[in-house]
């Protein structure tokens, strides 16, 4: 399947799976989920790792066994099914959708509007852990005052940079740029001092359009109106964002020589010291360390730079949803599983420590600079629980972590986000490969196509 740009990277899925080794929550009074759901019930859960990922599968199976032991009235049937926009409709029609599945945040509003996921408002409010999720985060899964999913992973787009290259270029690695003028100046300094690319951005597999959207937020605009009914691809902020890409490439010559970059390519370049700066989701710390073997002390993450009229940074994540025709007992059991699988390790001391130990043993970062799903007090308590196992230099991310509470979080476009991102990929590529590319014409054409996509929704 084609993964969503906001889908969890492979290492994040692995990190979650390693967390599956964590011990059951010590809150024994919450363990009888099946009984609370109304008696014995069987549900189907997705995201089971395939057989060729033996360690992850072992961890997943262990988590299933733990859950069933703690909830003897719930039986889990596990399947490898994962979200794919081109197969979801067929799964629903054929009755093969798992009881619960993770989907990108971008899809929630349209799925809810078509009644293709369940309203779980009462289940969220009645659960002592799920109900504590940050209300700001829950807004993204709310439609007409009803809640249609449980956020299980959240991120914001930020500036990722190589601290070692910053130092070589005479830049302060503890002071990431806060404006695009500073990003451009730093890119020039890096290129001049090291001969490496000063700034890069992914341009393929929908990532080019995704990052152009994030940049437009920081420059005061969006690619769709708030209702998701009108394309704004040719608005001035989007033009400014695309012109920034053009300037780095053609005026400054600090982009490098490869213009067809996946997100993995960008991470590889930053990790290898071949590029100084990039914009990506802040949770890429995990894959930089695990997949690309970047030294933790060399990783810098700052907030998404903002112009004076910037409206904030793009935020998104993964949402666990419940199939729309689930019976009440099945839906209740599904929410219990979601909580057990993804949330208990951030709340319960025993589960948090067990999760941290397992991650540490498997070489996964503990304490990475992600966006917390719960309030600051809960997050601080979690960090205290796992303090002996934290191997992330969190002092390097003070600015980024602080921005999570101060920089407005702007959701992704409501309608046809994936498709619009895809068409904007070619727009970004054209600017990078054609010196005389007409930015205005490119965006005007893309705007027409985007509006057609929205109208056909």
């Amino acid at each position: 399947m084609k993964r969503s740009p906001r889908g969890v990277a492979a290492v994040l899925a692995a990190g979650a799976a390693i967390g599956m080794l964590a011990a059951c929550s010590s809150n024994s009074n919450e363990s009888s989920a099946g009984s609370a759901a109304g008696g014995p019930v069987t549900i189907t859960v997705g995201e089971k790792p395939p057989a060729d990922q033996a360690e992850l599968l072992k961890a997943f199976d262990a988590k299933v066994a733990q859950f069933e032991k703690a909830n003897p009235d719930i039986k889990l049937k596990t399947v490898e099914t994962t979200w794919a926009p081109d197969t979801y409709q067929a799964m629903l029609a054929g009755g093969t959708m798992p009881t619960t599945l993770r989907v990108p945040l971008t899809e929630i509003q349209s799925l809810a509007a078509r009644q293709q996921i369940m309203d779980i408002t009462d289940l969220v409010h009645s659960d002592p852990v799920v109900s504590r999720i940050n209300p700001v985060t829950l807004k993204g899964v709310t439609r007409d005052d009803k809640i249609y999913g449980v956020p299980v992973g959240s991120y914001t787009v930020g500036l990722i940079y190589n601290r070692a290259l910053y130092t070589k270029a005479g830049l302060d690695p503890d002071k990431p740029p806060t404006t695009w003028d500073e990003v451009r100046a730093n890119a020039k300094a890096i290129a001049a001092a090291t001969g490496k690319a000063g700034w890069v951005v992914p341009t393929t597999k929908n990532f080019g359009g995704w990052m152009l959207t994030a940049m437009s937020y920081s420059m005061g605009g969006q690619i769709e109106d708030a209702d998701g009914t009108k394309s704004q691809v040719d608005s001035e902020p989007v033009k400014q964002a695309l012109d920034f890409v053009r300037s780095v490439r053609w005026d400054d010559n600090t982009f490098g020589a490869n213009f067809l970059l996946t997100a993995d390519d960008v991470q590889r370049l930053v990790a290898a010291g071949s590029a100084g700066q990039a914009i990506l989701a802040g949770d890429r710390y995990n894959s930089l360390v695990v997949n690309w073997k970047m030294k933790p002390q060399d990783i810098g993450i700052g907030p998404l730079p903002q112009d004076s009229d910037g409206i904030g940074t793009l935020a998104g994540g993964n949402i666990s949803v419940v199939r729309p025709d689930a019976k009440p007992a099945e839906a209740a059991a599904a929410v219990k599983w979601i909580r057990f699988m993804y949330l208990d390790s951030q709340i319960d001391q025993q589960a948090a420590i067990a999760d941290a130990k397992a991650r540490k043993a498997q070489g996964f970062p503990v304490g990475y600079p992600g966006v917390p799903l719960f309030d600051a007090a809960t997050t601080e308590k979690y960090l205290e629980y796992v303090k002996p196992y934290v191997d992330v230099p969190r002092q390097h991310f003070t600015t980024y972590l602080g921005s999570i509470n101060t920089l407005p979080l702007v959701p992704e476009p409501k309608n046809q986000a994936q498709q619009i991102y895809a068409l904007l990929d070619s727009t970004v590529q054209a600017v990078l490969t054609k010196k005389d590319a007409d930015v205005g014409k490119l965006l005007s054409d893309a705007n027409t196509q985007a509006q057609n996509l929205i109208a056909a929704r």
Side-chain angles (χ1 to χ4, degrees):
M1 79 172 190
K2 184 175 181 180
R3 296 281 302 197
S4 155
R6 289 139 324 278
V8 178
V11 69
L12 298 186
I18 294 304
M20 298 168 195
L21 295 172
C24 300
S25 168
S26 61
N27 296 330
S28 58
N29 62 316
E30 297 299 334
S31 64
S32 187
S35 297
V41 61
T42 297
I43 62 171
T44 304
V45 299
E47 287 98 27
K48 177 182 180 179
D52 60 359
Q53 297 180 8
E55 288 300 317
L56 299 186
L57 179 57
K58 179 181 177 181
F60 183 88
D61 288 342
K63 191 73 171 178
V64 168
Q66 291 169 359
F67 180 82
E68 290 183 335
K69 182 178 179 180
N71 301 277
D73 288 334
I74 300 178
K75 178 67 176 177
L76 300 182
K77 178 182 177 182
T78 60
V79 294
E80 295 180 9
T81 306
T82 55
W83 160 261
D86 54 346
T87 61
Y88 188 81
Q89 309 298 329
M91 281 197 302
L92 280 176
T96 59
M97 178 188 170
T99 314
T100 180
L101 191 71
R102 285 183 312 183
V103 304
L105 177 60
T106 44
E107 306 297 326
I108 295 298
Q109 294 297 324
S110 58
L111 292 175
R114 296 194 298 268
Q115 298 183 326
Q116 293 179 331
I117 50 179
M118 179 173 280
D119 168 11
I120 56 172
T121 307
D122 292 341
L123 292 171
V124 169
H125 288 323
S126 63
D127 188 283
V129 172
V130 181
S131 60
R132 292 172 57 185
I133 292 176
N134 192 323
V136 174
T137 303
L138 283 176
K139 283 184 179 180
V141 298
T142 301
R143 182 182 179 88
D144 298 329
D145 296 323
K146 296 178 180 179
I147 299 172
Y148 287 91
V150 178
V152 296
S154 185
Y155 67 81
T156 62
V157 171
L159 183 88
I160 293 178
Y161 59 99
N162 187 305
R163 292 173 57 91
L165 287 185
Y166 259 48
T167 299
K168 290 179 181 178
L171 304 170
D172 187 344
D174 292 325
K175 293 183 178 179
T178 59
T179 69
W180 288 104
D181 285 344
E182 291 174 352
V183 172
R184 190 173 174 184
N186 287 2
K188 292 178 181 178
I190 291 166
T194 70
K196 307 299 183 181
W199 180 82
V200 293
V201 64
T203 61
T204 64
K205 297 184 177 180
N206 298 20
F207 281 86
W210 182 41
M211 289 294 93
L212 188 66
T213 298
M215 292 177 67
S216 74
Y217 290 179
S218 73
M219 296 178 182
Q222 301 186 58
I223 65 169
E224 279 182 10
D225 65 1
D227 295 330
T229 59
K230 183 178 180 181
S231 172
Q232 297 177 336
V233 163
D234 62 349
S235 63
E236 188 59 32
V238 184
K239 292 178 182 177
Q240 291 175 353
L242 193 59
D243 191 61
F244 180 88
V245 176
R246 184 204 61 77
S247 296
V248 171
R249 163 68 175 99
W250 294 106
D251 296 344
D252 304 341
N253 194 28
T254 59
F255 191 94
N258 187 353
F259 310 115
L260 295 175
L261 298 172
T262 66
D264 280 347
D265 291 331
V266 169
Q267 292 174 87
R268 174 179 51 79
L269 290 171
V270 174
S274 299
Q277 306 173 113
I279 52 170
L280 281 173
D283 59 10
R284 293 286 172 166
Y285 178 96
N286 291 284
S287 53
L288 287 170
V289 172
V290 179
N291 290 351
W292 305 109
K293 310 304 179 185
M294 189 172 182
K295 297 177 181 178
Q297 62 267 28
D298 287 344
I299 302 175
I301 304 177
L304 185 70
Q306 300 286 304
D307 279 355
S308 58
D309 53 356
I311 61 174
T313 186
L314 186 149
N318 280 276
I319 312 300
S320 284
V321 300
V322 178
R323 61 182 290 164
D325 59 351
K327 297 177 181 178
E330 294 170 340
V335 171
K336 289 290 184 181
W337 164 252
I338 293 165
R339 166 189 163 180
F340 184 89
M341 179 68 170
Y342 300 107
L343 304 180
D344 276 354
S345 62
Q346 299 181 49
I347 293 289
D348 177 73
Q349 183 173 9
Q350 179 182 334
I353 292 173
D355 176 76
K357 285 181 177 179
R359 291 178 66 88
K360 190 85 168 181
Q362 296 296 325
F364 287 88
V366 177
Y368 78 92
V371 177
L373 292 174
F374 299 96
D375 60 30
T378 300
T379 302
E380 288 302 315
K381 186 175 290 187
Y382 162 79
L383 290 172
E384 283 298 317
Y385 293 156
V386 302
K387 187 175 181 180
Y389 310 98
V390 172
D391 53 7
V392 174
R394 290 177 64 85
Q395 69 276 12
H396 289 173
F397 312 112
T398 301
T399 304
Y400 174 73
L401 292 171
S403 75
I404 292 172
N405 297 317
T406 59
L407 190 61
L409 306 182
V410 187
E412 297 185 73
K414 280 188 175 182
N415 288 326
Q416 300 289 63
Q418 293 294 323
Q419 291 80 358
I420 295 174
Y421 291 162
L423 72 88
L424 287 176
D425 275 359
S426 60
T427 303
V428 175
Q429 293 165 19
V431 165
L432 287 169
T433 57
K434 299 177 183 178
K435 188 172 184 178
D436 60 349
D438 186 333
V439 169
K441 179 67 164 53
L442 286 169
L443 289 179
S444 177
D445 291 345
N447 189 70
T448 299
Q449 296 176 62
Q451 187 60 52
N452 289 339
L453 287 169
I454 292 171
R457 188 67 172 180

